[in-house]
Amino acid sequence: MLHVIFFEPRIPGNTGAAIRLSACTGSMLHLVEPLCFDMDDAKLRRAGLDYHDLAHVQVHPNFEDALAAVPGNVYAFTGHTTKMYTDVDYAEGDGLLFGPEPTGLPQWAMEHERVTAKVRIHMLAGVRSLNLANSASIGLYEAWRQLGFPGGV
């Protein structure tokens, strides 16, 4: 199983979309508190459609607890590096770490001893960032592809 970690997510619709992503890929979604919304938020439920019961979601009280739940390497996605997410050899149990929508990951989180590498997604120059759920989808599908889409149809 692959793992997606949202560090202190702030937009319920993005987390709802990630719940749907988890259901469609068999990945585990880890949400690090504080969350800036309630898990019963209407926007979160609407974005996740009826996939909530099919998804694997864990809410963690802190960053350390979330990292302890990921057995493999952890890759921090950020625009502040030159290594591309496609240059990683992903393995079963790896985690893909994403920061909150307006700010990205704090520096201390990217420098945590459990973070294997910082990686970025290709974009045109001059744009700040992709949508959080879109970024998670791009990274997760590359990792899942490298593993041969286990369980996929």
Side-chain angles (χ1 to χ4, degrees), residues 32-48:
V32 179
E33 292 182 323
L35 309 180
C36 293
F37 51 83
D38 187 281
M39 288 298 287
D40 291 324
D41 186 287
K43 291 178 183 173
L44 180 138
R45 301 218 47 90
R46 187 170 31 258

Side-chain angles (χ1 to χ4, degrees), residues 4-151:
V4 174
I5 309 158
F6 277 10
F7 179 88
E8 300 179 4
R10 300 198 177 131
I11 299 175
N14 281 333
T15 300
I19 288 170
R20 196 168 167 184
L21 178 66
S22 169
C24 290
T25 61
S27 62
M28 175 66 74
L29 175 62
H30 301 270
L31 304 175
V32 179
E33 292 182 323
L35 309 180
C36 293
F37 51 83
D38 187 281
M39 288 298 287
D40 291 324
D41 186 287
K43 291 178 183 173
L44 180 138
R45 301 218 47 90
R46 187 170 31 258
L49 293 176
D50 57 350
Y51 290 84
H52 293 263
D53 293 339
L54 302 173
H56 308 285
V57 180
Q58 291 182 348
V59 178
H60 300 277
N62 56 58
F63 190 49
E64 293 294 331
D65 188 63
L67 292 176
V70 177
N73 293 317
V74 175
Y75 298 97
F77 281 69
T78 177
H80 304 289
T81 189
T82 57
K83 183 174 185 147
M84 296 297 177
Y85 76 105
T86 52
D87 294 334
V88 170
D89 291 325
Y90 298 97
E92 188 70 28
D94 282 353
L96 288 65
L97 173 62
F98 299 88
E101 294 84 347
T103 60
L105 287 165
Q107 190 65 35
W108 66 264
M110 290 187 285
E111 294 173 356
H112 191 281
E113 64 184 13
R114 279 294 319 280
V115 173
T116 305
K118 296 185 286 187
V119 297
R120 69 177 298 128
I121 296 171
H122 301 78
M123 295 189 306
L124 294 176
V127 288
R128 190 175 72 243
S129 66
L130 285 163
N131 168 280
L132 176 61
N134 291 342
S135 296
S137 296
I138 290 166
L140 181 59
Y141 268 86
E142 171 61 15
W144 197 30
R145 181 195 69 78
Q146 287 186 20
L147 297 177
F149 297 111

